Amino acid sequence: MSDAPVRPAEAGGSAPPRSNAVVAVLALAGIVVSLMQTLVIPIVPELPKLLNASASDTAWAVTATLLAAAVATPVMGRLGDMYGKRRMLLVSVALLVSGSVTAALSESLLPMIIGRVLQGLASGVIPLGISIMRDELPAERLGSATALMSASLGVGGALGLPAAALIAENFDWHVLFWTSACLGAVAAVLVVLFVPESRVRTGGRFDLVGAVGMATGLVCLLLAISKGADWGWTGGTTLGLFGAAVVVLLAWGWWELRVQAPLVDLRTTARRQVLVTNLASIAVGFAMFAMSLVLPQLLQLPSATGYGLGKSMLAAGLVMAPSGLVMMATAPVSAAVSKAKGPKVTLMIGALIVAAGYLINIALMSEVWHFVLVSCVIGAGIGFTYGSMPALIMGAVPASETAAANSLNTLMRSIGTSSASAIAGVVLAQMTTDFGGFALPSKDGFRTVLALGAGAALLAFAVASFIPRQRQGSGQGAPTAGEPTDAGASAVKA
C-alpha cells in the first residue's frame, strides 16, 4: 500500500476540505496553544504573594508546563497517528481549556500547578495540525500551510507577551486564564466545524511501556536542565537526574527497537534526513529562545544602569510583538524558497538570518528601534527555519507516521529552548554588576548570551549542511531517495 496521504476526494468521491478554513483554524489553534509559553511571565514576580508560597515553589508554574509539554508532544503524535489526528487535537484543546479553568479558579499553589500541567499537555496541537494538513490539503497548498502552522509556535509566544502584560496590568490576574479558556473553547468549536478527520491511520497497540519510559527519561533530563542552576550543577540531585535520564533513555531505546509497534520508530528517526533535521532543530530552539531571554530584560532594566532602557513589561512586549507578525509574513516566502531550492536551503538561510540578528544586537542595543529591528530580523530567520523543518521531516517519513515524527521534531526544539534558558541563566548569574547594592546582569553578560545565540544559529547552519539533498520533484511524504520505508505499518483507511 502506498504511503502517500489519501485526500478525502480520493477516498470516496467526497469534496475536498475547504483549504483556507482548515489552514486558518489550525493556525489559530497553534497560536492559542503557544500563548501558554508567555501567559504567566508578567505575573511571575507576583506569584509568591498571589499564591502564598515561596518563589522557588511558584517557579513550578513555569517548569510544570515545560515538563508536561515534553511528555505530551510525542505521545499525542503517536495517538493521533493511531486513532485520528483531529480527535487527539480536540483532546489537546480540551486539556488546555480545563487547565485554564483550573488555574483561573486557583487561589493557592497546587491547583495552579495542576492547571499549568494540563495547559502543557495541549502542546501536541502544532505537530498534529501539521500532520492534518499533510493528509487533507492539496499538494500546492501544503508547503505554505505547514510553514505557517510551524511558525505559529513563535507567533503565539511573541504576541502573547504584550497581551498578557496588558491584561495583568489592568485586570485581576485570574483574567489571564479565563481569557485562555475562552480562546481554547473558540478554537475547539472551529476545529469541530471546519477540520475533517484524517483517513490516514497506522495500526498496532499503543506502546504504554515506551510512553512511560520516555516520559521518565525526559522529565529527568529537562528537570535537571531547568533546575540545575537552583540546585547546583554539581549537586547530587542534579547529577542524579542527569544519570537517571541517561540510563532510562538508553533502556527506552533498547525497548523501542524491539517492540512491534513502538511509540517512536527509532529506525525512521535514524534516517539521515530526519536525524540531522532534529539535531539542527535543537540548535534552532536554543537560538530562538535566547532572544526571549535577553531583549525583555534589556528593555526593562533601569536606564541608570547605562544599558537598560527602563521600559515597562507591556512596552517590552510591544517591542517584541512585531517579530511574531514577521514570522507569519515569512511563512509563504519560506515555502516558496523550499519549493524552488529545497527545504534544506531554506533552513540554512534562516539560520544565517538568525545569526545576523544576534550580531546586529551585539552592536546595536541602546535604542528602542534597535530592539524592534533585531526582533524582526530574528523573527524572519525563525520563520524560515520553522517553515522548513516540517517539510524536511515529512519528506522522509511515511504518511502513517507524520504526527509522531513532527511531534518528535517539536520536542527537539523544546530541548533547545530549555538548554538556552539554563545556559543563559548561568551566564547572567555569573556576569553581574552592582547597582544600588543589587547584583544585576552586566552588559557583557547580555552580549555573551547574544553571542551564544548567534553561535547556536551558525551551528544549526553547519548541521543542516549535512542533510541529504532531495531529488528534484520529490514530493513530501516520500522517504528519502534510496531509503526503504522500514518503519511502521502501512496506512489504514479508517
Side-chain angles (χ1 to χ4, degrees), residues 80-149:
D81 283 335
M82 293 176 64
Y83 302 117
K85 303 176 183 72
R86 175 180 178 267
R87 179 179 299 171
M88 299 316 301
L89 189 148
L90 286 171
V91 169
S92 297
V93 176
L95 289 169
L96 185 150
V97 173
S98 61
S100 299
V101 171
T102 302
L105 295 172
S106 66
E107 297 290 347
S108 60
L109 181 62
L110 182 58
M112 168 65 84
I113 291 177
I114 292 173
R116 292 291 288 164
V117 167
L118 290 171
Q119 288 182 324
L121 292 176
S123 62
V125 163
I126 291 176
L128 286 168
I130 292 172
S131 303
I132 291 171
M133 289 175 174
R134 181 188 189 183
D135 294 345
E136 303 300 331
L137 297 182
E140 64 272 13
R141 290 294 312 276
L142 186 57
S144 60
T146 56
L148 176 62
M149 187 71 195

Short mmCIF file of all heavy atoms in Angstrom, two decimals, residues 80-149:
data_model
loop_
_atom_site.label_atom_id
_atom_site.label_comp_id
_atom_site.label_asym_id
_atom_site.label_seq_id
_atom_site.Cartn_x
_atom_site.Cartn_y
_atom_site.Cartn_z
N GLY A 80 -2.36 10.29 17.72
CA GLY A 80 -3.01 10.86 16.54
C GLY A 80 -2.84 9.97 15.33
O GLY A 80 -3.79 9.78 14.55
N ASP A 81 -1.64 9.43 15.13
CA ASP A 81 -1.42 8.50 14.01
C ASP A 81 -2.27 7.25 14.14
O ASP A 81 -2.71 6.68 13.15
CB ASP A 81 0.07 8.11 13.95
CG ASP A 81 0.94 9.20 13.36
OD1 ASP A 81 0.42 10.03 12.59
OD2 ASP A 81 2.14 9.24 13.70
N MET A 82 -2.53 6.83 15.37
CA MET A 82 -3.26 5.59 15.59
C MET A 82 -4.78 5.78 15.56
O MET A 82 -5.50 5.01 14.92
CB MET A 82 -2.86 4.98 16.94
CG MET A 82 -1.43 4.48 17.02
SD MET A 82 -1.01 3.88 18.67
CE MET A 82 -2.12 2.48 18.83
N TYR A 83 -5.27 6.81 16.24
CA TYR A 83 -6.71 6.92 16.48
C TYR A 83 -7.37 8.13 15.82
O TYR A 83 -8.59 8.30 15.95
CB TYR A 83 -6.97 6.98 17.99
CG TYR A 83 -6.45 5.78 18.73
CD1 TYR A 83 -5.45 5.90 19.68
CD2 TYR A 83 -6.93 4.50 18.45
CE1 TYR A 83 -4.96 4.79 20.36
CE2 TYR A 83 -6.45 3.38 19.10
CZ TYR A 83 -5.46 3.54 20.06
OH TYR A 83 -4.97 2.43 20.71
N GLY A 84 -6.60 8.94 15.12
CA GLY A 84 -7.18 10.10 14.46
C GLY A 84 -6.56 11.39 14.95
O GLY A 84 -6.60 11.70 16.14
N LYS A 85 -6.00 12.16 14.03
CA LYS A 85 -5.29 13.38 14.41
C LYS A 85 -6.25 14.46 14.89
O LYS A 85 -5.96 15.18 15.85
CB LYS A 85 -4.45 13.85 13.22
CG LYS A 85 -3.46 12.79 12.72
CD LYS A 85 -2.72 13.26 11.49
CE LYS A 85 -1.78 12.17 10.96
NZ LYS A 85 -2.49 11.05 10.32
N ARG A 86 -7.38 14.61 14.21
CA ARG A 86 -8.36 15.60 14.63
C ARG A 86 -8.90 15.26 16.02
O ARG A 86 -9.08 16.15 16.87
CB ARG A 86 -9.52 15.66 13.63
CG ARG A 86 -10.68 16.58 14.03
CD ARG A 86 -11.73 16.53 12.93
NE ARG A 86 -12.90 17.33 13.21
CZ ARG A 86 -14.01 16.86 13.78
NH1 ARG A 86 -14.06 15.59 14.17
NH2 ARG A 86 -15.05 17.65 13.97
N ARG A 87 -9.13 14.00 16.27
CA ARG A 87 -9.63 13.58 17.58
C ARG A 87 -8.66 13.96 18.68
O ARG A 87 -9.04 14.51 19.72
CB ARG A 87 -9.88 12.07 17.57
CG ARG A 87 -10.37 11.51 18.88
CD ARG A 87 -10.60 10.01 18.77
NE ARG A 87 -11.62 9.72 17.76
CZ ARG A 87 -11.91 8.49 17.33
NH1 ARG A 87 -11.23 7.45 17.81
NH2 ARG A 87 -12.86 8.29 16.44
N MET A 88 -7.37 13.67 18.47
CA MET A 88 -6.39 13.98 19.51
C MET A 88 -6.13 15.48 19.59
O MET A 88 -5.78 15.99 20.67
CB MET A 88 -5.08 13.22 19.23
CG MET A 88 -5.23 11.71 19.24
SD MET A 88 -6.24 11.06 20.61
CE MET A 88 -5.33 11.66 22.03
N LEU A 89 -6.30 16.20 18.49
CA LEU A 89 -6.19 17.65 18.55
C LEU A 89 -7.29 18.22 19.45
O LEU A 89 -7.04 19.12 20.27
CB LEU A 89 -6.26 18.24 17.14
CG LEU A 89 -5.95 19.73 16.99
CD1 LEU A 89 -5.30 20.00 15.64
CD2 LEU A 89 -7.21 20.59 17.12
N LEU A 90 -8.50 17.70 19.31
CA LEU A 90 -9.60 18.15 20.16
C LEU A 90 -9.35 17.78 21.62
O LEU A 90 -9.67 18.56 22.53
CB LEU A 90 -10.92 17.55 19.67
CG LEU A 90 -11.48 18.16 18.38
CD1 LEU A 90 -12.66 17.34 17.86
CD2 LEU A 90 -11.91 19.61 18.61
N VAL A 91 -8.79 16.60 21.86
CA VAL A 91 -8.44 16.22 23.23
C VAL A 91 -7.42 17.21 23.80
O VAL A 91 -7.52 17.65 24.96
CB VAL A 91 -7.88 14.78 23.27
CG1 VAL A 91 -7.26 14.47 24.63
CG2 VAL A 91 -8.99 13.78 22.96
N SER A 92 -6.43 17.59 22.99
CA SER A 92 -5.41 18.53 23.43
C SER A 92 -6.01 19.88 23.79
O SER A 92 -5.68 20.48 24.82
CB SER A 92 -4.34 18.70 22.35
OG SER A 92 -3.66 17.49 22.09
N VAL A 93 -6.89 20.38 22.93
CA VAL A 93 -7.52 21.68 23.21
C VAL A 93 -8.41 21.58 24.45
O VAL A 93 -8.48 22.53 25.25
CB VAL A 93 -8.33 22.15 21.98
CG1 VAL A 93 -9.07 23.45 22.30
CG2 VAL A 93 -7.40 22.37 20.79
N ALA A 94 -9.09 20.45 24.63
CA ALA A 94 -9.91 20.27 25.83
C ALA A 94 -9.04 20.31 27.09
O ALA A 94 -9.45 20.86 28.13
CB ALA A 94 -10.67 18.95 25.74
N LEU A 95 -7.85 19.72 27.03
CA LEU A 95 -6.93 19.79 28.16
C LEU A 95 -6.52 21.23 28.44
O LEU A 95 -6.40 21.64 29.61
CB LEU A 95 -5.69 18.94 27.88
CG LEU A 95 -5.91 17.42 27.89
CD1 LEU A 95 -4.67 16.70 27.34
CD2 LEU A 95 -6.21 16.93 29.30
N LEU A 96 -6.29 22.01 27.38
CA LEU A 96 -5.93 23.41 27.55
C LEU A 96 -7.06 24.17 28.26
O LEU A 96 -6.82 24.95 29.19
CB LEU A 96 -5.64 24.05 26.19
CG LEU A 96 -5.14 25.50 26.19
CD1 LEU A 96 -4.24 25.75 24.99
CD2 LEU A 96 -6.30 26.50 26.14
N VAL A 97 -8.29 23.96 27.82
CA VAL A 97 -9.42 24.66 28.42
C VAL A 97 -9.58 24.26 29.88
O VAL A 97 -9.77 25.12 30.77
CB VAL A 97 -10.71 24.37 27.63
CG1 VAL A 97 -11.93 24.96 28.35
CG2 VAL A 97 -10.62 24.95 26.22
N SER A 98 -9.51 22.96 30.16
CA SER A 98 -9.67 22.50 31.54
C SER A 98 -8.55 23.02 32.42
O SER A 98 -8.78 23.41 33.59
CB SER A 98 -9.74 20.98 31.60
OG SER A 98 -8.55 20.40 31.09
N GLY A 99 -7.32 23.06 31.89
CA GLY A 99 -6.21 23.60 32.65
C GLY A 99 -6.37 25.09 32.92
O GLY A 99 -6.06 25.58 34.02
N SER A 100 -6.86 25.82 31.92
CA SER A 100 -7.07 27.25 32.09
C SER A 100 -8.13 27.54 33.14
O SER A 100 -7.97 28.43 33.98
CB SER A 100 -7.48 27.87 30.75
OG SER A 100 -6.46 27.71 29.77
N VAL A 101 -9.22 26.77 33.11
CA VAL A 101 -10.28 26.96 34.10
C VAL A 101 -9.77 26.61 35.50
O VAL A 101 -10.06 27.33 36.48
CB VAL A 101 -11.51 26.10 33.74
CG1 VAL A 101 -12.54 26.12 34.87
CG2 VAL A 101 -12.14 26.60 32.45
N THR A 102 -9.00 25.53 35.61
CA THR A 102 -8.44 25.15 36.91
C THR A 102 -7.56 26.26 37.47
O THR A 102 -7.65 26.62 38.65
CB THR A 102 -7.62 23.85 36.78
OG1 THR A 102 -8.46 22.81 36.28
CG2 THR A 102 -7.04 23.43 38.12
N ALA A 103 -6.68 26.81 36.63
CA ALA A 103 -5.80 27.89 37.08
C ALA A 103 -6.61 29.16 37.39
O ALA A 103 -6.29 29.89 38.34
CB ALA A 103 -4.75 28.18 36.02
N ALA A 104 -7.65 29.43 36.61
CA ALA A 104 -8.46 30.62 36.84
C ALA A 104 -9.20 30.56 38.17
O ALA A 104 -9.49 31.60 38.78
CB ALA A 104 -9.47 30.79 35.70
N LEU A 105 -9.50 29.36 38.63
CA LEU A 105 -10.21 29.19 39.90
C LEU A 105 -9.26 29.04 41.08
O LEU A 105 -9.70 28.94 42.22
CB LEU A 105 -11.12 27.96 39.83
CG LEU A 105 -12.29 28.04 38.82
CD1 LEU A 105 -12.99 26.70 38.72
CD2 LEU A 105 -13.27 29.14 39.21
N SER A 106 -7.96 29.01 40.82
CA SER A 106 -7.00 28.73 41.88
C SER A 106 -6.72 29.96 42.74
O SER A 106 -6.72 31.09 42.27
CB SER A 106 -5.69 28.22 41.28
OG SER A 106 -5.06 29.24 40.52
N GLU A 107 -6.46 29.69 44.00
CA GLU A 107 -6.01 30.72 44.94
C GLU A 107 -4.77 30.26 45.70
O GLU A 107 -4.27 31.00 46.54
CB GLU A 107 -7.14 31.03 45.95
CG GLU A 107 -8.39 31.62 45.34
CD GLU A 107 -8.21 33.05 44.83
OE1 GLU A 107 -7.16 33.66 45.17
OE2 GLU A 107 -9.09 33.53 44.10
N SER A 108 -4.32 29.05 45.39
CA SER A 108 -3.13 28.51 46.04
C SER A 108 -2.26 27.81 45.01
O SER A 108 -2.63 27.70 43.83
CB SER A 108 -3.53 27.54 47.16
OG SER A 108 -4.30 26.47 46.64
N LEU A 109 -1.12 27.30 45.45
CA LEU A 109 -0.11 26.79 44.51
C LEU A 109 -0.52 25.51 43.81
O LEU A 109 -0.36 25.37 42.60
CB LEU A 109 1.21 26.58 45.26
CG LEU A 109 2.38 26.08 44.42
CD1 LEU A 109 2.73 27.10 43.34
CD2 LEU A 109 3.60 25.80 45.30
N LEU A 110 -1.06 24.53 44.56
CA LEU A 110 -1.33 23.21 43.98
C LEU A 110 -2.29 23.26 42.79
O LEU A 110 -1.96 22.72 41.73
CB LEU A 110 -1.84 22.25 45.05
CG LEU A 110 -2.11 20.82 44.57
CD1 LEU A 110 -0.84 20.21 43.98
CD2 LEU A 110 -2.66 19.96 45.71
N PRO A 111 -3.46 23.89 42.91
CA PRO A 111 -4.34 23.94 41.72
C PRO A 111 -3.73 24.73 40.58
O PRO A 111 -3.98 24.41 39.40
CB PRO A 111 -5.62 24.59 42.25
CG PRO A 111 -5.25 25.25 43.52
CD PRO A 111 -4.13 24.46 44.10
N MET A 112 -2.90 25.73 40.89
CA MET A 112 -2.22 26.47 39.81
C MET A 112 -1.29 25.54 39.04
O MET A 112 -1.28 25.53 37.80
CB MET A 112 -1.44 27.65 40.39
CG MET A 112 -0.47 28.29 39.42
SD MET A 112 -1.28 29.08 38.02
CE MET A 112 -1.68 30.65 38.75
N ILE A 113 -0.51 24.74 39.75
CA ILE A 113 0.42 23.82 39.08
C ILE A 113 -0.35 22.77 38.29
O ILE A 113 0.02 22.44 37.15
CB ILE A 113 1.35 23.16 40.12
CG1 ILE A 113 2.31 24.20 40.69
CG2 ILE A 113 2.13 22.02 39.48
CD1 ILE A 113 3.23 23.68 41.76
N ILE A 114 -1.45 22.26 38.85
CA ILE A 114 -2.27 21.29 38.12
C ILE A 114 -2.79 21.92 36.82
O ILE A 114 -2.76 21.30 35.75
CB ILE A 114 -3.44 20.80 38.99
CG1 ILE A 114 -2.90 19.96 40.15
CG2 ILE A 114 -4.43 19.97 38.15
CD1 ILE A 114 -3.97 19.57 41.17
N GLY A 115 -3.27 23.15 36.92
CA GLY A 115 -3.76 23.84 35.72
C GLY A 115 -2.68 24.04 34.69
O GLY A 115 -2.91 23.84 33.48
N ARG A 116 -1.49 24.40 35.14
CA ARG A 116 -0.39 24.62 34.20
C ARG A 116 0.08 23.31 33.58
O ARG A 116 0.50 23.29 32.42
CB ARG A 116 0.77 25.32 34.92
CG ARG A 116 0.47 26.75 35.33
CD ARG A 116 0.36 27.66 34.13
NE ARG A 116 1.67 27.88 33.54
CZ ARG A 116 1.88 28.36 32.32
NH1 ARG A 116 0.86 28.64 31.53
NH2 ARG A 116 3.10 28.54 31.86
N VAL A 117 0.01 22.21 34.31
CA VAL A 117 0.34 20.90 33.73
C VAL A 117 -0.65 20.57 32.62
O VAL A 117 -0.26 20.14 31.51
CB VAL A 117 0.33 19.81 34.81
CG1 VAL A 117 0.34 18.43 34.17
CG2 VAL A 117 1.53 19.96 35.74
N LEU A 118 -1.94 20.78 32.88
CA LEU A 118 -2.95 20.49 31.86
C LEU A 118 -2.75 21.38 30.64
O LEU A 118 -2.92 20.92 29.50
CB LEU A 118 -4.35 20.70 32.46
CG LEU A 118 -4.79 19.68 33.51
CD1 LEU A 118 -6.08 20.12 34.17
CD2 LEU A 118 -4.94 18.30 32.90
N GLN A 119 -2.38 22.64 30.84
CA GLN A 119 -2.10 23.50 29.69
C GLN A 119 -0.90 22.98 28.90
O GLN A 119 -0.91 23.01 27.67
CB GLN A 119 -1.83 24.93 30.17
CG GLN A 119 -3.07 25.67 30.65
CD GLN A 119 -2.77 27.09 31.07
OE1 GLN A 119 -1.71 27.39 31.63
NE2 GLN A 119 -3.70 28.00 30.80
N GLY A 120 0.12 22.50 29.59
CA GLY A 120 1.28 21.95 28.90
C GLY A 120 0.96 20.71 28.10
O GLY A 120 1.56 20.47 27.04
N LEU A 121 -0.02 19.92 28.57
CA LEU A 121 -0.39 18.70 27.86
C LEU A 121 -1.04 18.99 26.51
O LEU A 121 -1.23 18.08 25.70
CB LEU A 121 -1.35 17.87 28.72
CG LEU A 121 -0.75 17.26 29.99
CD1 LEU A 121 -1.82 16.55 30.79
CD2 LEU A 121 0.39 16.31 29.67
N ALA A 122 -1.39 20.25 26.26
CA ALA A 122 -2.00 20.62 24.98
C ALA A 122 -0.98 20.91 23.89
O ALA A 122 -1.34 21.24 22.76
CB ALA A 122 -2.89 21.86 25.17
N SER A 123 0.30 20.76 24.19
CA SER A 123 1.34 21.20 23.26
C SER A 123 1.40 20.40 21.96
O SER A 123 2.05 20.82 21.00
CB SER A 123 2.71 21.12 23.94
OG SER A 123 2.99 19.77 24.29
N GLY A 124 0.72 19.26 21.90
CA GLY A 124 0.74 18.47 20.68
C GLY A 124 -0.07 19.05 19.55
O GLY A 124 -0.06 18.50 18.43
N VAL A 125 -0.77 20.16 19.78
CA VAL A 125 -1.65 20.74 18.75
C VAL A 125 -0.88 21.09 17.48
O VAL A 125 -1.35 20.83 16.37
CB VAL A 125 -2.39 21.97 19.31
CG1 VAL A 125 -2.97 22.82 18.18
CG2 VAL A 125 -3.51 21.54 20.25
N ILE A 126 0.29 21.69 17.61
CA ILE A 126 1.01 22.16 16.42
C ILE A 126 1.48 20.99 15.54
O ILE A 126 1.20 20.97 14.33
CB ILE A 126 2.16 23.10 16.81
CG1 ILE A 126 1.58 24.41 17.36
CG2 ILE A 126 3.08 23.37 15.61
CD1 ILE A 126 2.61 25.38 17.87
N PRO A 127 2.18 19.98 16.07
CA PRO A 127 2.55 18.85 15.18
C PRO A 127 1.33 18.09 14.66
O PRO A 127 1.34 17.61 13.52
CB PRO A 127 3.43 17.96 16.07
CG PRO A 127 3.17 18.40 17.47
CD PRO A 127 2.83 19.84 17.39
N LEU A 128 0.27 17.99 15.46
CA LEU A 128 -0.95 17.35 14.96
C LEU A 128 -1.56 18.16 13.82
O LEU A 128 -2.02 17.60 12.83
CB LEU A 128 -1.97 17.19 16.10
CG LEU A 128 -1.68 16.10 17.13
CD1 LEU A 128 -2.60 16.25 18.33
CD2 LEU A 128 -1.82 14.72 16.52
N GLY A 129 -1.55 19.49 13.96
CA GLY A 129 -2.09 20.34 12.91
C GLY A 129 -1.30 20.21 11.61
O GLY A 129 -1.89 20.15 10.52
N ILE A 130 0.02 20.15 11.73
CA ILE A 130 0.85 19.97 10.53
C ILE A 130 0.52 18.64 9.86
O ILE A 130 0.42 18.56 8.62
CB ILE A 130 2.34 20.03 10.92
CG1 ILE A 130 2.72 21.45 11.36
CG2 ILE A 130 3.23 19.58 9.75
CD1 ILE A 130 4.11 21.55 11.95
N SER A 131 0.32 17.61 10.65
CA SER A 131 0.02 16.29 10.10
C SER A 131 -1.35 16.26 9.43
O SER A 131 -1.53 15.61 8.39
CB SER A 131 0.09 15.26 11.22
OG SER A 131 1.36 15.30 11.84
N ILE A 132 -2.33 16.94 10.02
CA ILE A 132 -3.64 17.03 9.38
C ILE A 132 -3.53 17.73 8.03
O ILE A 132 -4.14 17.32 7.04
CB ILE A 132 -4.63 17.79 10.30
CG1 ILE A 132 -4.95 16.94 11.53
CG2 ILE A 132 -5.93 18.13 9.55
CD1 ILE A 132 -5.75 17.68 12.59
N MET A 133 -2.72 18.78 7.98
CA MET A 133 -2.53 19.48 6.71
C MET A 133 -1.94 18.55 5.66
O MET A 133 -2.35 18.57 4.49
CB MET A 133 -1.61 20.69 6.92
CG MET A 133 -2.25 21.83 7.69
SD MET A 133 -1.07 23.15 8.01
CE MET A 133 -2.13 24.39 8.75
N ARG A 134 -1.01 17.73 6.05
CA ARG A 134 -0.39 16.81 5.08
C ARG A 134 -1.43 15.85 4.52
O ARG A 134 -1.44 15.53 3.34
CB ARG A 134 0.73 16.02 5.74
CG ARG A 134 1.41 15.07 4.76
CD ARG A 134 2.38 14.14 5.43
NE ARG A 134 3.14 13.40 4.44
CZ ARG A 134 4.03 12.47 4.74
NH1 ARG A 134 4.28 12.16 5.99
NH2 ARG A 134 4.70 11.84 3.79
N ASP A 135 -2.33 15.41 5.38
CA ASP A 135 -3.33 14.44 4.95
C ASP A 135 -4.46 15.06 4.13
O ASP A 135 -5.04 14.38 3.28
CB ASP A 135 -3.95 13.76 6.18
CG ASP A 135 -2.94 12.90 6.94
OD1 ASP A 135 -1.88 12.60 6.37
OD2 ASP A 135 -3.23 12.53 8.08
N GLU A 136 -4.79 16.32 4.39
CA GLU A 136 -6.01 16.88 3.86
C GLU A 136 -5.85 17.95 2.78
O GLU A 136 -6.77 18.17 1.99
CB GLU A 136 -6.84 17.50 5.01
CG GLU A 136 -7.16 16.52 6.13
CD GLU A 136 -7.97 15.34 5.64
OE1 GLU A 136 -8.74 15.48 4.67
OE2 GLU A 136 -7.83 14.24 6.23
N LEU A 137 -4.74 18.64 2.74
CA LEU A 137 -4.61 19.75 1.81
C LEU A 137 -4.08 19.30 0.46
O LEU A 137 -3.31 18.33 0.38
CB LEU A 137 -3.68 20.82 2.38
CG LEU A 137 -4.12 21.51 3.67
CD1 LEU A 137 -3.11 22.56 4.07
CD2 LEU A 137 -5.50 22.15 3.52
N PRO A 138 -4.46 20.00 -0.61
CA PRO A 138 -3.85 19.72 -1.91
C PRO A 138 -2.36 20.05 -1.88
O PRO A 138 -1.91 20.90 -1.11
CB PRO A 138 -4.62 20.64 -2.86
CG PRO A 138 -5.20 21.71 -2.00
CD PRO A 138 -5.48 21.08 -0.68
N ALA A 139 -1.61 19.38 -2.71
CA ALA A 139 -0.15 19.48 -2.67
C ALA A 139 0.34 20.91 -2.83
O ALA A 139 1.31 21.32 -2.19
CB ALA A 139 0.46 18.60 -3.76
N GLU A 140 -0.36 21.69 -3.69
CA GLU A 140 0.12 23.05 -3.95
C GLU A 140 -0.05 23.98 -2.74
O GLU A 140 0.57 25.04 -2.68
CB GLU A 140 -0.60 23.65 -5.16
CG GLU A 140 -2.11 23.84 -5.00
CD GLU A 140 -2.89 22.60 -5.40
OE1 GLU A 140 -2.27 21.52 -5.57
OE2 GLU A 140 -4.13 22.71 -5.54
N ARG A 141 -0.89 23.60 -1.76
CA ARG A 141 -1.08 24.43 -0.57
C ARG A 141 -0.25 23.97 0.61
O ARG A 141 -0.12 24.70 1.60
CB ARG A 141 -2.57 24.39 -0.15
CG ARG A 141 -3.55 25.09 -1.08
CD ARG A 141 -3.31 26.60 -1.08
NE ARG A 141 -3.18 27.16 0.25
CZ ARG A 141 -4.22 27.52 1.03
NH1 ARG A 141 -5.45 27.36 0.57
NH2 ARG A 141 -4.01 28.04 2.22
N LEU A 142 0.29 22.77 0.53
CA LEU A 142 0.88 22.15 1.71
C LEU A 142 2.10 22.90 2.23
O LEU A 142 2.23 23.11 3.44
CB LEU A 142 1.25 20.70 1.40
CG LEU A 142 1.76 19.87 2.59
CD1 LEU A 142 0.72 19.84 3.70
CD2 LEU A 142 2.09 18.45 2.13
N GLY A 143 3.00 23.33 1.35
CA GLY A 143 4.22 23.96 1.80
C GLY A 143 3.98 25.23 2.61
O GLY A 143 4.49 25.38 3.72
N SER A 144 3.19 26.16 2.07
CA SER A 144 2.93 27.41 2.78
C SER A 144 2.10 27.18 4.03
O SER A 144 2.29 27.86 5.05
CB SER A 144 2.23 28.41 1.85
OG SER A 144 1.00 27.89 1.39
N ALA A 145 1.17 26.23 3.99
CA ALA A 145 0.31 25.97 5.14
C ALA A 145 1.10 25.40 6.31
O ALA A 145 0.95 25.84 7.46
CB ALA A 145 -0.82 25.02 4.76
N THR A 146 1.96 24.42 6.05
CA THR A 146 2.75 23.83 7.14
C THR A 146 3.77 24.83 7.67
O THR A 146 4.08 24.83 8.86
CB THR A 146 3.46 22.55 6.68
OG1 THR A 146 4.26 22.82 5.52
CG2 THR A 146 2.46 21.46 6.36
N ALA A 147 4.30 25.70 6.79
CA ALA A 147 5.22 26.73 7.25
C ALA A 147 4.51 27.68 8.21
O ALA A 147 5.06 28.07 9.25
CB ALA A 147 5.78 27.50 6.06
N LEU A 148 3.28 28.06 7.88
CA LEU A 148 2.51 28.94 8.76
C LEU A 148 2.20 28.25 10.08
O LEU A 148 2.31 28.85 11.16
CB LEU A 148 1.22 29.37 8.06
CG LEU A 148 0.25 30.23 8.89
CD1 LEU A 148 0.91 31.54 9.26
CD2 LEU A 148 -1.04 30.48 8.10
N MET A 149 1.79 26.99 10.01
CA MET A 149 1.46 26.25 11.23
C MET A 149 2.67 26.12 12.13
O MET A 149 2.59 26.28 13.35
CB MET A 149 0.92 24.88 10.85
CG MET A 149 0.37 24.07 12.02
SD MET A 149 -1.17 24.77 12.63
CE MET A 149 -1.31 23.95 14.22
#
